[in-house]
Amino acid sequence: MKPISTNNIRNFCIIAHIDHGKSTLADRLIEATGALSNREMQSQVLDSMDIERERGITIKAQTASMEFELDGERLQLNLIDTPGHVDFSYEVSRALSACEGALVVVDAAQGVEAQTVANVALAMQHDLAIIPVINKIDLPSAEPLKVMEEIENELAIEATEAILTSAKTGKGVDELLKAIIERIPPPKDRNEEPLKALIFDSWFDAYLGAVSMVRLMSGTLKKGDKIKMMSTGRDFECLSIGRLTPKPVATKELRSGEVGFVSGSIKTVSDTKVGDTITLAKQPAKEALDGFQEAKQMVFAGIFPVDSSDYTYLKDSLEKLQLNDSSLTYEVESSTALGFGCRVGFLGLLHMDIVQERLEREYNLDLIFSAPTVVYKVLTTSGEEVEIENPSKLPDAATIDTVFEPYVKLSVHTPQDYLGAILKLLTERRGVQLDLEYNSTKRIKVVYDLPMNEMVFDFHDRLKSMSKGYASMDYEVSGFKAGDLVKVDILVNGEPLDALSCIVHRSTAPHRGRALCKKLRELLPRQMFQIALQAAIGSKIIARETISAYRKDVTAKCYGGDISRKRKLLEKQKEGKKRMKSVGRVEIPQKAFMAVLKLDD
């Protein structure tokens, strides 16, 4: 079969705020073009991970190549479905680099929201052709005309030609397909130029090794070609190439403008890097393509295996996961309480939650996560600025001039009944109100400026329980501000537990210290000697709890006689307890470390 002309290829992605119907719209497009048969179709077909299907969110940008005929012409549409959650916006920016156009999906009932604005700004930076799509027009509360106005005012996009669709019923999908073909430009025909293929995603396959998802910017790639990675200069043989429809379909070649996967004799994960350029070893391109901006990690946590012998397997698993999620960073860390592990950087709290679940499910690891912490900037008295990811690395208080903490612009959507409780929670967490607007008679949007540090501790859990699960939140990092912050250390019998150290605002430090000591007192098993649990800021103790020792009644068999006999036995017992305390070690159960996150304020 003759290859499809470059003029008949369209590369586009779907971008939107979370839960505006991107994945369902992708399903309808796949159905309309016949890329999958009815038997192979399922709802949210591009959400291939179990976690995505269970939570109803997209985590990974997924690709589908759809070939179909229209007016006697063979066409190829390469669709990339992207995540909507702020923690995965890095996936969106990578998907945009592989496209010429973007469908901006807006919910006809909820209108333009935070992530819609952020993703459209990204698309405009990439000079993409933008098609506004107003989805869910079948809802009783849909207001398409009002949403068109919002699109024009907030996104600065002409909305008169917006496509009205209902991904649930399939209404407007044929019209959308025509708009994609007419309004999104085809890629430039660069088949004769040297091969340049941009790696925008990769994953590890047990049979194929490292597999790369590429967009060919120029040239042609055939099975059996010798390829070269431009960042490392290493050569590999291209063993299999193909397209995802979204099921993998092998092809003999990929041409300029196409999107597909490549796997070769690549054995180690470090040899494929997202953002790298693949070229031919015989006729290499002179310059590599621009890669991607490095993702900025905002939340850090220590990950330790429950069984210390699993440490090397944990490192291997993180390396393989990093291939599939390049926004993840990690470095080796050791803790006196937990042994060897890794300090891992995440884009946000949901990202951390997902990574934890993927490590436990996909790699069968039993893990302990230390308390998550955000990145702080510390200005020392000598004028040096350092970034702190781990509370135990905070410099001595005498050398600190100012500590800066990250702030977020937090939007909470809530029914009116729970507004009072939510405003109280946000004020407790040092939030400053920026805006409060009534979207409808029953739903309210509250915007607050809030320290990110205050979101790390059980904030989401409390928000959900206060609103019986109805409130939803979204946030974006707004910058760093100076704060009166201190490090709270937890001491067990005078020994600091580095895994439980945390940086908090001075006003909440005593409360946090007391809560931690109280929780540990409930969780730690009693010993034959007394255990002192203390919270300290530097050398100042701010809270204390005591776990009393088990005591045998040594005077039970003393009846009658002189009191000195009893005293002698009690003194002897006291000496023994003292000796035990000096040599005894307190074993900390792993649930004590997770208790830090689950503090009930």
Side-chain angles (χ1 to χ4, degrees):
M1 198 186 279
K2 221 168 75 171
I4 289 174
S5 144
T6 312
N7 271 340
N8 288 354
I9 295 173
R10 300 288 182 275
N11 296 314
F12 67 99
C13 60
I14 304 183
I15 55 178
H17 187 83
I18 189 168
D19 213 18
H20 279 205
K22 294 177 301 297
S23 300
T24 313
L25 192 62
D27 288 355
R28 296 295 84 80
L29 289 169
I30 289 167
E31 270 178 3
T33 55
L36 287 177
S37 67
N38 288 341
R39 189 173 55 81
E40 293 166 318
M41 270 310 288
Q42 55 177 336
S43 61
Q44 276 86 41
V45 70
L46 292 181
D47 290 347
S48 52
M49 279 194 275
D50 289 345
I51 305 173
E52 291 181 312
R53 304 193 75 78
E54 281 167 25
R55 294 182 180 228
I57 57 172
T58 304
I59 294 164
K60 288 290 301 169
Q62 296 290 353
T63 315
S65 283
M66 301 171 281
E67 280 190 23
F68 70 110
E69 277 197 26
L70 188 74
D71 303 331
E73 290 272 334
R74 266 176 74 226
L75 295 154
Q76 187 189 102
L77 303 184
N78 294 316
L79 149 72
I80 301 171
D81 178 27
T82 61
H85 199 282
V86 65
D87 282 15
F88 305 112
S89 54
Y90 183 63
E91 289 281 330
V92 180
S93 71
R94 298 206 324 244
L96 294 172
S97 308
C99 300
E100 276 82 32
L103 306 184
V104 176
V105 180
V106 182
D107 188 313
Q110 294 184 345
V112 173
E113 292 195 53
Q115 275 313 106
T116 324
V117 180
N119 290 338
V120 168
L122 276 173
M124 285 175 167
Q125 281 172 22
H126 287 80
D127 290 333
L128 301 189
I130 294 171
I131 300 175
V133 180
I134 298 173
N135 190 26
K136 303 192 185 182
I137 56 166
D138 57 315
L139 290 180
S141 55
E143 296 177 282
L145 292 174
K146 184 181 166 222
V147 172
M148 276 185 190
E149 236 175 86
E150 278 185 34
I151 289 172
E152 291 195 345
N153 296 340
E154 295 186 36
L155 303 178
I157 299 172
E158 181 65 49
T160 47
E161 292 187 2
I163 312 291
L164 301 178
T165 64
S166 162
K168 191 175 172 184
T169 63
K171 190 180 176 183
V173 171
D174 291 338
E175 201 185 325
L176 180 59
L177 273 175
K178 280 181 188 156
I180 290 166
I181 294 154
E182 286 163 16
R183 296 199 231 163
I184 292 175
K188 290 185 177 124
D189 189 347
R190 291 184 170 150
N191 285 316
E192 304 310 314
E193 294 179 27
L195 173 70
K196 278 188 191 176
L198 175 73
I199 302 178
F200 67 90
D201 196 8
S202 52
W203 63 91
F204 190 81
D205 185 285
Y207 300 103
L208 300 171
V211 183
S212 304
M213 198 75 205
V214 295
R215 155 73 201 269
L216 268 70
M217 298 299 186
S218 63
T220 309
L221 178 63
K222 294 187 178 78
K223 190 178 172 181
D225 280 348
K226 267 266 194 289
I227 54 172
K228 179 181 187 177
M229 301 289 176
M230 290 192 80
S231 66
T232 59
R234 298 195 60 181
D235 294 358
F236 301 98
E237 190 185 345
C238 175
L239 297 176
S240 75
I241 55 175
R243 287 196 297 270
L244 295 177
T245 68
K247 59 175 188 185
V249 174
T251 55
K252 287 180 182 172
E253 66 172 11
L254 286 175
R255 294 160 63 81
S256 162
E258 289 193 304
V259 172
F261 65 84
V262 178
S263 74
S265 50
I266 307 168
K267 294 287 178 286
T268 56
V269 168
S270 54
D271 285 327
T272 50
K273 190 169 164 246
V274 167
D276 197 359
T277 307
I278 294 177
T279 189
L280 291 176
K282 284 182 182 172
Q283 299 164 285
K286 287 178 184 168
E287 287 177 358
L289 296 159
D290 290 339
F292 304 107
Q293 248 184 330
E294 291 292 314
K296 189 86 181 108
Q297 287 73 32
M298 291 312 297
V299 176
F300 289 81
I303 303 182
F304 302 89
V306 170
D307 182 350
S308 53
S309 61
D310 283 343
Y311 166 64
T312 22
Y313 182 53
L314 169 67
K315 264 181 72 182
D316 289 348
S317 305
L318 277 168
E319 196 181 345
K320 285 175 185 169
L321 195 60
Q322 195 179 34
L323 178 72
N324 190 229
D325 183 355
S326 56
S327 55
L328 198 70
T329 59
Y330 70 93
E331 56 183 45
V332 174
E333 179 183 57
S334 68
S335 152
T336 47
L338 299 168
F340 279 102
C342 295
R343 189 96 192 148
V344 184
F346 309 95
L347 299 179
L349 295 170
L350 177 70
H351 188 210
M352 177 178 128
D353 199 17
I354 296 293
V355 167
Q356 179 176 0
E357 211 164 317
R358 286 187 72 182
L359 281 170
E360 287 171 355
R361 279 187 188 199
E362 295 173 27
Y363 300 97
N364 296 323
L365 281 159
D366 205 359
L367 301 170
I368 300 171
F369 267 60
S370 71
T373 174
V374 295
V375 186
Y376 297 94
K377 286 183 179 173
V378 176
L379 188 68
T380 60
T381 44
S382 60
E384 188 190 353
E385 190 178 273
V386 284
E387 282 197 357
I388 303 294
E389 300 153 7
N390 191 339
S392 58
K393 289 183 181 168
L394 193 74
D396 187 64
T399 65
I400 295 174
D401 179 34
T402 322
V403 181
F404 297 91
E405 60 180 329
Y407 269 69
V408 296
K409 186 181 173 186
L410 176 79
S411 308
V412 177
H413 293 263
T414 174
Q416 196 170 343
D417 303 354
Y418 312 111
L419 183 65
I422 286 170
L423 291 181
K424 186 173 176 242
L425 171 70
L426 289 163
T427 313
E428 269 174 25
R429 298 297 173 106
R430 300 191 283 131
V432 177
Q433 190 173 314
L434 301 176
D435 194 10
L436 191 149
E437 62 183 68
Y438 285 77
N439 289 344
S440 63
T441 48
K442 298 265 177 84
R443 275 192 86 74
I444 297 169
K445 179 184 174 187
V446 189
V447 183
Y448 262 70
D449 197 27
L450 189 82
M452 197 175 185
N453 177 24
E454 297 289 348
M455 280 174 58
V456 171
F457 293 98
D458 75 354
F459 177 78
H460 192 245
D461 292 353
R462 288 197 65 202
L463 183 73
K464 285 290 183 195
S465 61
M466 273 178 177
S467 63
K468 297 182 181 168
Y470 282 106
S472 63
M473 62 174 243
D474 192 21
Y475 67 91
E476 53 183 290
V477 179
S478 55
F480 283 80
K481 291 182 188 176
D484 186 10
L485 302 165
V486 290
K487 181 174 78 154
V488 174
D489 285 315
I490 300 297
L491 314 173
V492 177
N493 273 354
E495 279 185 36
L497 269 185
D498 54 354
L500 290 188
S501 296
C502 55
I503 296 173
V504 294
H505 194 263
R506 193 181 294 276
S507 62
T508 58
H511 169 72
R512 173 73 58 198
R514 268 196 306 276
L516 276 169
C517 291
K518 224 178 225 168
K519 196 78 174 174
L520 277 175
R521 187 183 166 194
E522 291 167 21
L523 293 161
L524 294 188
R526 278 175 74 187
Q527 306 286 339
M528 295 302 289
F529 51 89
Q530 190 187 64
I531 303 171
L533 305 171
Q534 294 165 310
I537 299 173
S539 56
K540 182 185 172 189
I541 303 296
I542 55 168
R544 170 173 174 139
E545 291 284 336
T546 306
I547 301 175
S548 53
Y550 281 122
R551 287 188 64 186
K552 184 181 175 184
D553 188 358
V554 289
T555 60
K557 53 184 183 284
C558 284
Y559 43 90
D562 189 20
I563 186 72
S564 59
R565 285 181 65 204
K566 287 186 179 179
R567 281 206 189 119
K568 188 177 165 188
L569 286 167
L570 288 168
E571 282 300 318
K572 197 175 174 186
Q573 185 185 39
K574 206 162 144 191
E575 281 302 311
K577 296 273 180 211
K578 204 171 174 183
R579 198 161 56 246
M580 263 190 218
K581 190 174 179 179
S582 63
V583 296
R585 280 188 59 79
V586 182
E587 284 295 318
I588 314 284
Q590 68 196 63
K591 63 179 178 180
F593 294 101
M594 290 318 292
V596 179
L597 303 176
K598 304 290 178 207
L599 283 181
D600 297 317
D601 284 8

